[in-house]
Amino acid sequence: MDPCQFVRVLVGNLSLKLPVSTRPVGAGSGVHPSSTPCYCKIRLNKLPYQTAPAPLVAADSDSTAAPSSTPAAVFHLSKADLEKISGKSSLFGSNRTAQLKVAVYSGRRGSTCGVSSGSLLGKVTLPLDLKGAEGKATVFHSGWVSVGKKTNGAAVELNLTVRAEPDPRFVFEFAGEPECSPQVLQVQGSMKQPMFTCKFSCRNNSDLHLRSRSMQSDPGSGPRNWLPNFGSDRERSAKERKGWSVTVHDLSGSPVAMASMVTPFVASPGSDRVSRSNPGAWLILRPGDGTWKPWGRLEAWREKVGSSGSTDGLGYRFDLLPDNSMNSSVSLVDTSLISSKGGKFAIDLTGTVPMNKNGSRSGSPGCSPRGSGDFGYGLWPFAGYRGFVMSTTVEGEGRCSKPTVEVGVNHVGCAEDAAAFVALAAAVDLSMDACRSFSHKLRKELIHPSDAL
């Protein structure tokens, strides 16, 4: 398998120095750094803005805020994006450079009646020459820069670190919707070739045979059984979706990964929606020692999202499950998408490692057990999961969905590794249908023949 070239541009270590207002309190304009929250809106070329808080430091201090464990902004660029940025200008015939634009605001983030709540303090633009960024990491800026015009001889100063680093990924594309048992193609530039096949199935109560002694946790040896009992009261509820699974096969026909719905998607009492308090769940399984072994657990539900909390959304949580060497799972994703628009489901642990002042990153992962950050990588059981892990596209409700899956090269040692992420992508996509209002009838592929009677 050959990867596709990607580059990540990371912006971090934001700090802000504000000139102290010389006006008395209540006299009108003027910013006092001890009481005014500030934030930055960051944009790379025409990519969407990303917003992050800008911690304040004393105006007469030479220090910056402590390195943050979360980058202020991360931009992902494919090879096509890079070629578009660095292409020849038809007018001047010279190479273009990327433009990183940072706007600094005082006040609280958000908007009231569609009007931004913040007050613009100034803007700064940094040129980034991304040529060669596919091959080596580059620090473009690390330090202070003046923002906006000077007032009474002093200007707003912003400290930031801007870094680009290569991030090659394997790219896979479903040739059809997951419930239609499609092929999965590997994408390399303009070339596409078959890599896996998917087999969707919809089981009912009479043929749910996933549980076996080899797949259950021994009650005397493990803290939790990740395969709950089928046939519970929840499964007998009239408003439920259950028994879905997607098995991923390699080109020889051998099963290499599976996503299985192990907790039915059930409408909350008095409603026709799946709630966060009672989510449906999938197990992502991998073959091992002649049987299926749980690798991850995906939960999904419906919830209200957006700044006003009035937009229908789909919530996700993904945990890596314990193996024989540890007792606790680790949550890698807890996020939501707008149901009508869809978006991207991503596992990106870039923010688990602080960015140093020189642009490099080191330290313990913030998502280590209990999030303490005091475990060295050699001690943390999931040390192999760092930086960008994977992403998959999710189409909005009712739309034809053929997920595109990206997996970081560092997280694929064999085809079976990639297959596990493909199975996860299928479960993420199918959760959009599983969480759909129970007043809506699903397509025939998602309904067991006996349930359609």
Side-chain angles (χ1 to χ4, degrees):
M1 296 191 301
D2 294 323
C4 297
Q5 297 304 315
F6 282 76
V7 169
R8 284 187 302 174
V9 176
L10 302 99
V11 182
N13 294 338
L14 296 184
S15 299
L16 201 61
K17 291 181 181 179
L18 300 182
V20 178
S21 173
T22 56
R23 297 192 181 193
V25 175
S29 63
V31 175
H32 197 287
S34 64
S35 59
T36 305
C38 295
Y39 64 93
C40 294
K41 293 179 69 175
I42 306 167
R43 188 179 194 183
L44 181 63
N45 281 25
K46 295 183 179 181
L47 295 176
Y49 282 102
Q50 298 184 35
T51 305
L56 299 174
V57 297
D60 57 354
S61 173
D62 293 329
S63 64
T64 63
S68 172
S69 63
T70 303
V74 181
F75 299 96
H76 303 269
L77 302 172
S78 66
K79 187 175 182 65
D81 295 328
L82 294 170
E83 290 175 347
K84 185 176 181 179
I85 289 173
S86 61
K88 295 287 185 178
S89 168
S90 59
L91 181 60
F92 300 104
S94 59
N95 286 334
R96 296 192 294 264
T97 58
Q99 303 291 314
L100 183 73
K101 300 177 182 179
V102 184
V104 181
Y105 293 83
S106 65
R108 300 191 180 279
R109 285 182 281 177
S111 61
T112 303
C113 299
V115 179
S116 176
S117 301
S119 175
L120 179 65
L121 299 177
K123 300 178 180 180
V124 63
T125 299
L126 299 175
L128 308 182
D129 185 0
L130 296 175
K131 185 178 180 180
E134 299 174 15
K136 65 176 182 179
T138 304
V139 178
F140 294 104
H141 181 87
S142 183
W144 294 96
V145 61
S146 295
V147 177
K149 298 180 180 179
K150 290 186 177 181
T151 303
N152 297 327
V156 175
E157 291 186 88
L158 175 69
N159 179 83
L160 73 165
T161 300
V162 182
R163 170 186 172 91
E165 58 187 27
D167 189 27
R169 304 173 185 179
F170 295 109
V171 180
F172 305 95
E173 184 179 283
F174 283 70
E177 296 173 282
E179 62 266 34
C180 296
S181 301
Q183 278 192 327
V184 177
L185 311 175
Q186 185 185 0
V187 180
Q188 171 53 260
S190 60
M191 297 178 57
K192 298 181 181 181
Q193 60 180 1
M195 188 69 190
F196 303 109
T197 60
C198 291
K199 176 62 177 177
F200 176 81
S201 66
C202 183
R203 307 177 304 276
N204 64 9
N205 283 338
S206 64
D207 56 13
L208 285 171
H209 298 307
L210 179 62
R211 297 186 75 224
S212 67
R213 286 180 297 176
S214 61
M215 296 178 62
Q216 298 179 45
S217 300
D218 184 344
S221 62
R224 180 174 179 181
N225 182 0
W226 293 101
L227 294 170
N229 291 325
F230 291 109
S232 65
D233 290 339
R234 287 188 66 198
E235 290 185 319
R236 290 191 290 269
S237 169
K239 292 184 176 181
E240 62 180 13
R241 291 171 182 139
K242 60 181 182 290
W244 300 0
S245 68
V246 176
T247 306
V248 181
H249 299 82
D250 61 20
L251 295 183
S252 70
S254 300
V256 287
M258 177 190 289
S260 181
M261 187 185 286
V262 291
T263 301
F265 286 69
V266 179
S268 296
S271 77
D272 62 354
R273 295 173 181 268
V274 180
S275 68
R276 181 165 191 156
S277 62
N278 198 25
W282 301 77
L283 275 187
I284 313 301
L285 304 116
R286 302 184 57 171
D289 300 327
T291 187
W292 290 108
K293 292 188 174 182
W295 170 71
R297 179 181 175 91
L298 176 74
E299 295 181 344
W301 59 88
R302 291 296 288 265
E303 65 182 6
K304 296 295 184 180
V305 299
S307 57
S308 62
S310 60
T311 304
D312 266 340
L314 185 67
Y316 291 103
R317 175 187 171 96
F318 178 69
D319 294 346
L320 280 178
L321 299 185
D323 59 20
N324 294 333
S325 64
M326 57 191 138
N327 295 323
S328 62
S329 62
V330 173
S331 180
L332 298 186
V333 177
D334 194 333
T335 188
S336 61
L337 302 173
I338 297 177
S339 298
S340 61
K341 295 182 179 180
K344 267 194 176 184
F345 171 94
I347 303 175
D348 191 345
L349 306 183
T350 303
T352 64
V353 185
M355 183 185 291
N356 296 328
K357 294 180 180 180
N358 62 4
S360 64
R361 291 178 288 125
S362 62
S364 299
C367 60
S368 58
R370 298 185 181 180
S372 62
D374 58 356
F375 291 81
Y377 277 114
L379 299 178
W380 191 48
F382 298 118
Y385 293 93
R386 302 172 61 178
F388 174 84
V389 179
M390 68 84 69
S391 71
T392 180
T393 57
V394 184
E395 291 295 332
E397 196 172 65
R399 299 181 184 179
C400 177
S401 184
K402 301 177 182 179
T404 297
V405 188
E406 298 171 6
V407 185
V409 166
N410 293 335
H411 304 99
V412 178
C414 58
E416 288 79 4
D417 293 337
F421 292 110
V422 168
L424 172 59
V428 168
D429 183 85
L430 288 167
S431 293
M432 182 68 77
D433 289 304
C435 287
R436 201 162 187 181
S437 170
F438 281 85
S439 61
H440 176 85
K441 186 176 180 180
L442 298 181
R443 60 187 296 173
K444 64 178 189 288
E445 289 85 356
L446 296 170
I447 303 174
H448 193 276
S450 64
D451 296 332
L453 299 177

